[in-house]
Amino acid sequence: MLWRANRKHLSIEAIRDSVLFVSGQLDLTPRGRPGQLWGKDYTRRRAIYGYINRFNLDPTLRAFDFPAPMQSQPARKESIVAPQALFSMNSPFVIDQAKALTQTETFESLTTDADQITELFNIILQRQPEPLETERFLRFVELQSRYKKTKTTDDKAATWPLAAQALMMSNEFLYVD
């Protein structure tokens, strides 16, 4: 009976911690004062140490079915709605972490696009890319460079955070199989 399990969507806390972890920005310091989870001065500590305002719940938390903090909840409901995907696409938090991931020494030291794609897959999805996935990402990088009208290293470097963000938005990252 355990040969197959249903996919489970990660909670917003797990998504936040996972994004911080793969970008290398997660602060594992235990204990201490709570910090803001979102906004300009967000904490890089685990979400369990985040400040939750009981009277004014953050819209991001509401979009991901965070339970109302005013009362105990027997279970968390689970829904998949468009604002959740829009969060991954437009959130300054996710964009910052994608940039941080692609600005590491390890990533910048790789010389070929295929090696950089492999590194992104290894870090974010914990696996090697399939040949078709590598081909698609190579095409994506090429199209983004062409869109910028020039193929300077700065323009090409600007496309890698988009590729990292695309992997962070994938179902493979947001769901547990």
Side-chain angles (χ1 to χ4, degrees):
M1 297 191 110
L2 297 177
W3 68 273
R4 179 186 164 275
N6 293 331
R7 295 182 116 194
K8 183 176 181 338
H9 192 272
L10 293 177
S11 66
I12 185 61
E13 300 98 313
I15 292 170
R16 182 185 183 282
D17 290 351
S18 297
V19 168
L20 281 169
F21 180 78
V22 298
S23 70
Q25 301 291 311
L26 184 62
D27 178 5
L28 295 172
T29 307
R31 297 184 298 279
R33 298 188 54 85
Q36 294 295 325
L37 293 175
W38 318 106
K40 293 184 188 246
D41 295 325
Y42 60 85
T43 181
R44 286 173 172 74
R45 297 179 68 209
R46 291 187 53 222
I48 195 167
Y49 296 111
Y51 174 75
I52 304 296
N53 186 338
R54 291 180 179 213
F55 300 105
N56 187 16
L57 190 61
D58 188 271
T60 303
L61 297 174
R62 272 184 287 178
F64 282 88
D65 303 319
F66 191 82
M70 294 298 287
Q71 58 197 18
S72 62
Q73 303 286 330
R76 185 182 291 198
K77 65 180 182 169
E78 186 176 314
S79 64
I80 314 298
V81 292
Q84 294 172 355
L86 292 171
F87 166 79
S88 298
M89 291 188 326
N90 300 319
S91 169
F93 170 77
V94 177
I95 294 167
D96 288 348
Q97 301 317 309
K99 286 179 185 174
L101 172 61
T102 58
Q103 292 172 350
T104 61
E105 280 185 42
T106 306
F107 187 80
E108 289 180 342
S109 69
L110 298 170
T111 55
T112 67
D113 291 347
D115 288 343
Q116 289 178 317
I117 291 166
T118 302
E119 182 70 11
L120 286 178
F121 270 81
N122 284 336
I123 292 171
I124 297 171
L125 301 180
Q126 302 291 302
R127 67 174 178 84
Q128 295 287 319
E130 299 292 325
L132 182 59
E133 291 171 329
T134 302
E135 183 181 319
R136 285 182 179 168
F137 271 85
L138 286 171
R139 180 81 174 132
F140 173 76
V141 170
E142 177 188 328
L143 287 174
Q144 286 296 318
S145 296
R146 192 179 307 156
Y147 177 73
K148 304 248 189 221
K149 303 287 189 239
T150 63
K151 292 192 176 190
T152 65
T153 55
D154 293 334
D155 289 339
K156 200 169 211 180
T159 63
W160 289 113
L162 293 173
Q165 187 178 1
L167 288 176
M168 289 179 190
M169 291 171 38
S170 69
N171 283 348
E172 192 171 343
F173 186 77
L174 299 174
Y175 285 83
V176 176
D177 281 334

